[in-house]
Amino acid sequence: MTEPILEVENLTIQFRVKGKVIGHGGSRRKWKRVLNGVTFSIKEGETFGIVGETGSGKTTLARTLVGIYRPKESYVKLYGRRIDYTKKEDLLLLRKTIGIVFQDPVGSLNPRVTVSDIISEGIIAKGKMSDEQRKEKIVEAANLVELPASKLDSYPPELSGGEKQRVSLARTLIGGKKILVLDEPTSSLDVSIQAQILNLLTRLKRELSISYIFITHDLNVIKYMTDRVAVLYYGEILEQGSTEEIFENPRHPYTSDLIEANISFSSSSEFSEEKVSGEPSGEGCIYKNSCSKRFSACEKTPPYFSYGKGAVKCWLYDYMGERKAGIGR
Ligand SMILES: Nc1ncnc2c1ncn2[C@@H]1O[C@H](COP(=O)(O)OP(=O)(O)OP(=O)(O)O)[C@@H](O)[C@H]1O
Ligand code: SF4
Ligand SMILES: [Mg+2]
């Protein structure tokens, strides 16, 4: 693997929300920070996972990466070039390079447009193509995602969930994207169909040498699909590293809690939607309200401590802390 093709540095996103401002007796606009200092990079052909519970900011991150949300400051580099979201040419480069597949294929496909026309939406420079060339490209994209050509004249409501997701994928791939942001691409599908789509994604990655940013709350999918993973908690990455190492030796207490909860969920017959963690702390370590390993240092915000190819945001891993706590490599 070579140089990173995408670098995200210190990405911070906040939304204006309605809320009461104490002392003013009324409703005032205030800011809610949804992503805070998110930093990671990916290389060609790599699958980078983002795992986090509901509300942790996964979709906000996905939407920002493809330019749906456009921060005024520049936090993203593509092929080493800093992307300015206010510049047309930078947004075009972003559109050409990064595609997105959403969780809900129903909401992302116009029910009144044929499959063929939906797939062709992904062609960036349509003007330069004859009708014949356009049709050829559409059939090629449909073949790639194993969508029968007989479905090209259908409308989305006539398709199954798995077929809809194949249409979304074909629309993204037809433009020759190098990076796909997959925002929970299988969570709305039946289990057997999920496996088909995951296998298709694995084959496409191998054949096309594309990179994935695979976003999910499902640790089993992360384990199966990704090379490296970042653990997102209320907009902050608390740990990132190789998937294998993180599953074998999770360092951050939140990562351990997630993995432990996942084991108990998968061994119980009921699906639990309960959150593993409580509310974040506004001061000191963001996880301190839920952390069983909390100690005096945690009143201050920890920085990232590097280990090998990973990093963890927890005081247990500063040099002295690591020795004192007897934890480490
Ligand atoms: N446009 C917006 N304006 C205000 N708040 C927003 C907006 N979009 C998202 N949020 C808030 O940001 C937080 C993160 O939302 P986001 O959809 O990114 O989470 P998520 O990790 O994708 O969750 P899920 O697993 O449920 O899809 C939530 O608290 C959400 O309410
Ligand atoms: S810094 Fe402290 S509170 Fe935060 S995760 Fe580490 S041990 Fe727990
Ligand atoms: Mg989401």
Coordinates of all heavy atoms in Angstrom, one line a residue, residues 252-253 285 287-288 291 293-295 298 302 313-316, ligand 2:
H252 N -9.0 1.0 24.5 CA -9.8 1.9 25.1 C -11.0 1.2 25.9 O -11.6 0.3 25.4 CB -10.4 2.9 24.1 CG -11.0 4.2 24.7 ND1 -12.1 4.2 25.4 CD2 -10.4 5.4 24.8 CE1 -12.3 5.4 25.9 NE2 -11.3 6.2 25.5
P253 N -11.3 1.6 27.1 CA -12.4 1.0 27.9 C -13.7 1.0 27.1 O -14.4 0.0 27.2 CB -12.5 1.8 29.2 CG -11.1 2.3 29.4 CD -10.5 2.6 28.0
C285 N -12.1 13.5 30.4 CA -12.3 12.5 29.4 C -13.8 12.4 29.1 O -14.6 12.3 30.0 CB -11.8 11.1 30.0 SG -12.3 9.8 28.9
Y287 N -15.4 10.0 28.1 CA -16.0 8.7 28.5 C -16.1 8.5 30.0 O -16.6 7.4 30.4 CB -15.3 7.5 27.8 CG -16.0 6.2 27.8 CD1 -17.3 6.1 27.3 CD2 -15.4 5.1 28.4 CE1 -18.0 4.9 27.3 CE2 -16.1 3.9 28.5 CZ -17.4 3.8 27.9 OH -18.1 2.6 28.0
K288 N -15.7 9.4 30.7 CA -15.5 9.2 32.2 C -16.8 8.8 32.9 O -16.7 8.1 33.9 CB -14.7 10.3 32.9 CG -15.5 11.5 33.1 CD -14.6 12.5 33.9 CE -15.5 13.7 34.3 NZ -14.9 14.9 34.7
C291 N -17.0 5.0 32.5 CA -15.8 4.2 32.5 C -15.6 3.5 33.8 O -15.5 4.2 34.9 CB -14.6 5.1 32.1 SG -13.1 4.1 32.0
K293 N -12.8 2.2 34.6 CA -11.4 2.3 34.9 C -11.0 3.7 35.3 O -9.8 4.0 35.4 CB -10.5 1.9 33.7 CG -10.8 0.4 33.2 CD -9.6 -0.3 32.8 CE -9.8 -1.7 32.7 NZ -10.1 -2.2 31.4
R294 N -11.9 4.6 35.4 CA -11.7 6.0 35.7 C -10.8 6.2 36.9 O -10.9 5.5 37.9 CB -13.1 6.6 36.0 CG -13.0 8.1 36.4 CD -14.5 8.5 36.6 NE -14.5 9.8 37.2 CZ -15.6 10.5 37.3 NH1 -16.8 10.1 36.8 NH2 -15.6 11.7 37.8
F295 N -9.8 7.1 36.8 CA -9.0 7.4 37.9 C -8.7 8.9 37.9 O -9.2 9.7 37.1 CB -7.7 6.6 37.9 CG -6.8 6.7 36.8 CD1 -5.5 7.3 36.9 CD2 -7.1 6.3 35.5 CE1 -4.6 7.4 35.9 CE2 -6.3 6.5 34.4 CZ -5.0 7.0 34.6
C298 N -8.2 11.3 34.9 CA -9.3 11.4 33.9 C -10.1 12.7 34.0 O -11.0 13.0 33.1 CB -10.2 10.2 34.0 SG -9.3 8.7 34.1
P302 N -7.7 13.6 27.9 CA -6.5 12.9 27.4 C -6.2 13.2 25.9 O -7.1 13.5 25.1 CB -6.9 11.4 27.5 CG -8.3 11.3 27.5 CD -8.9 12.6 28.0
K313 N -7.2 7.3 22.9 CA -7.4 8.6 23.7 C -7.8 8.2 25.1 O -9.0 8.3 25.4 CB -8.5 9.4 23.0 CG -8.5 10.9 23.3 CD -9.4 11.6 22.5 CE -9.3 13.1 22.8 NZ -10.3 13.9 22.2
C314 N -6.8 7.8 25.9 CA -7.1 7.4 27.2 C -5.9 7.5 28.1 O -4.8 7.1 27.6 CB -7.6 5.9 27.2 SG -7.7 5.2 28.8
W315 N -6.1 8.1 29.3 CA -4.9 8.3 30.2 C -4.2 7.0 30.6 O -3.0 7.0 31.0 CB -5.3 9.0 31.4 CG -5.5 10.5 31.2 CD1 -6.7 11.2 31.3 CD2 -4.5 11.5 30.7 NE1 -6.5 12.5 31.0 CE2 -5.2 12.7 30.6 CE3 -3.2 11.4 30.4 CZ2 -4.5 13.9 30.2 CZ3 -2.5 12.6 30.0 CH2 -3.2 13.8 29.9
L316 N -4.9 5.9 30.5 CA -4.2 4.6 30.9 C -3.0 4.3 30.0 O -2.2 3.5 30.3 CB -5.2 3.4 30.7 CG -6.3 3.4 31.7 CD1 -7.3 2.3 31.3 CD2 -5.8 3.1 33.1
Ligands
SF4_2 S1 -9.1 8.5 30.3 FE1 -9.9 7.6 32.2 S2 -12.2 7.8 32.1 FE2 -11.3 8.1 30.1 S3 -11.4 6.1 29.2 FE3 -9.4 6.3 30.0 S4 -9.5 5.5 32.1 FE4 -11.6 5.8 31.4

